[in-house]
Amino acid sequence: LEVEHVEKVKTSKTKGILLLHPWGNVADMNNLRAYADKNNLFILSDASHAHGACFGGQPIGKYSEITCVSYGKDKLISGGELGGATTDSDQLWDRMALFSQVNRIPADLQTSTYKYMSNSIGPKYRPHALSLPIALDQLNSYSERILKLNININKFCSYLKSTRIFEIQKVYPDVSRVYWKIVVFINHKNPLKVNKFILETAKSMSLVIEQDHYSPLLHQDPIYKEYYNISSCNNSLPNAESLKNKIVQIHAPILDDENFVYKYCELFKTVENKL
Ligand SMILES: Cc1ncc(COP(=O)(O)O)c(C=O)c1O
């Protein structure tokens, strides 16, 4: 996400920017923070794909009023079912604690604002006691693991750069990204054909290419209309719709094992050679 994207949709009613860091690739946080300050907007950042990512040497949480994060099923750090949020604001901390810890007034409220209020509002968002140590254990070795994973992924990405038709996501110069998913762009006149070809070749090599994030696209999933009674964006998200066929996606932690770096390089080589 960049400032120009926000400018296109901002109105006089806009209060804040909700953003995410798709697949671990960090938004343009420095410019977005400056823009938000200038326009009196808050930033709420969803870092579920980007545990440990940095912008300008700073953890991405530094750029937002609140950063929320999933540690769900197959995330880079997972506690099974777990999520969290961070803030530097005592006020926001207390509000989050108050709304999420129903019937357990936390001893660690930071301000006196809610001290004498009943704490029986809001849902129970506190984590399961077993999820926390599971996630914490991964956190202890996370930096080391990500360093190794990034070395493998960089090898794979260097290979893709040497191809004629495959490209990877652009990264802002000041970003130290992580990879939850690797997105490969197909730069070809018939991307659908190449897409299909990649899937078939991957299957024959027993390699996994993920598709579930793009079919159907969220806003086209009937459940959104049925459950929320909304049809977002008049059922049209032109960028997502046109991108859908031009990309394929790999679950990045598969490349923890260096052998898979070579196998996935082989896959894209085979596809390109046959075109
Ligand atoms: C950007 C983003 N935010 C939030 C979530 C939800 O996480 P959870 O499954 O822990 O509710 C996901 C799940 O993949 C996600 O991709």
Side-chain angles (χ1 to χ4, degrees):
L1 189 78
E2 295 175 14
V3 166
E4 66 174 281
H5 303 131
V6 180
E7 288 228 280
K8 270 189 202 154
V9 291
K10 182 178 165 298
T11 69
S12 57
K13 290 186 184 166
T14 303
K15 299 260 189 297
I17 302 169
L18 310 183
L19 58 86
L20 87 155
H21 309 282
W23 320 125
N25 199 8
V26 176
D28 190 10
M29 292 313 288
N30 207 18
N31 287 328
L32 285 163
R33 182 71 262 172
Y35 180 82
D37 290 343
K38 195 170 149 213
N39 291 279
N40 200 21
L41 304 173
F42 66 82
I43 300 183
L44 200 162
S45 152
D46 181 339
S48 301
H49 298 184
H51 307 163
C54 290
F55 193 108
Q58 299 276 352
I60 47 177
K62 280 279 170 205
Y63 292 86
S64 315
E65 275 75 1
I66 294 182
T67 301
C68 59
V69 60
S70 161
Y71 303 106
K73 195 167 53 77
D74 65 348
K75 296 293 189 311
L76 286 171
I77 298 176
S78 169
E81 284 292 350
L82 185 67
T86 59
T87 181
D88 281 342
S89 152
D90 289 348
Q91 177 94 13
L92 292 173
W93 165 279
D94 282 1
R95 291 179 69 139
M96 288 197 278
L98 194 76
F99 279 101
S100 63
Q101 308 278 318
V102 67
N103 280 339
R104 288 194 197 171
I105 296 174
D108 58 350
L109 287 180
Q110 303 294 306
T111 70
S112 55
T113 319
Y114 304 111
K115 207 169 164 194
Y116 302 107
M117 283 170 72
S118 154
N119 181 217
S120 56
I121 49 169
K124 272 188 186 168
Y125 281 149
R126 56 180 174 267
H128 191 282
L130 290 178
S131 293
L132 289 170
I134 292 171
L136 193 59
D137 186 55
Q138 293 160 54
L139 188 60
N140 290 331
S141 53
Y142 184 67
S143 313
E144 203 183 324
R145 187 187 147 213
I146 286 301
L147 222 58
K148 277 193 200 149
L149 180 59
N150 275 8
I151 291 174
N152 285 353
I153 291 174
N154 287 338
K155 281 184 199 160
F156 175 64
C157 291
S158 309
Y159 171 71
L160 286 184
K161 275 187 201 154
S162 74
T163 64
R164 274 176 290 119
I165 60 163
F166 299 117
E167 283 170 24
I168 45 165
Q169 273 177 305
K170 166 187 144 191
V171 180
Y172 297 112
D174 284 345
V175 161
S176 156
R177 70 163 290 182
V178 293
Y179 289 88
W180 182 44
K181 308 284 177 190
I182 304 167
V183 177
V184 180
F185 292 87
I186 303 165
N187 187 6
H188 188 267
K189 59 181 184 315
N190 191 346
L192 209 56
K193 180 180 131 189
V194 183
N195 200 317
K196 206 167 148 241
F197 203 13
I198 294 171
L199 293 177
E200 284 168 8
T201 314
K203 202 169 169 199
S204 73
M205 294 171 77
S206 302
L207 296 175
V208 178
I209 294 287
E210 290 190 346
Q211 281 190 297
D212 54 336
H213 287 99
Y214 304 107
S215 53
L217 289 169
L218 276 186
H219 71 296
Q220 292 166 338
D221 193 327
I223 196 74
Y224 280 81
K225 191 147 177 51
E226 189 181 325
Y227 189 74
Y228 296 110
N229 199 19
I230 52 162
S231 60
S232 33
C233 310
N234 299 325
N235 263 340
S236 166
L237 289 176
N239 288 340
E241 281 157 30
S242 84
L243 263 181
K244 173 180 158 158
N245 298 324
K246 293 184 196 151
I247 53 180
V248 291
Q249 189 171 294
I250 300 163
H251 186 58
I254 294 176
L255 300 193
D256 267 334
D257 178 345
E258 202 181 347
N259 288 323
F260 279 101
V261 175
Y262 305 118
K263 288 184 184 170
Y264 277 94
C265 290
E266 192 58 39
L267 161 66
F268 287 93
K269 191 174 173 184
T270 309
V271 170
E272 192 172 67
N273 286 346
K274 283 195 187 163
L275 282 172

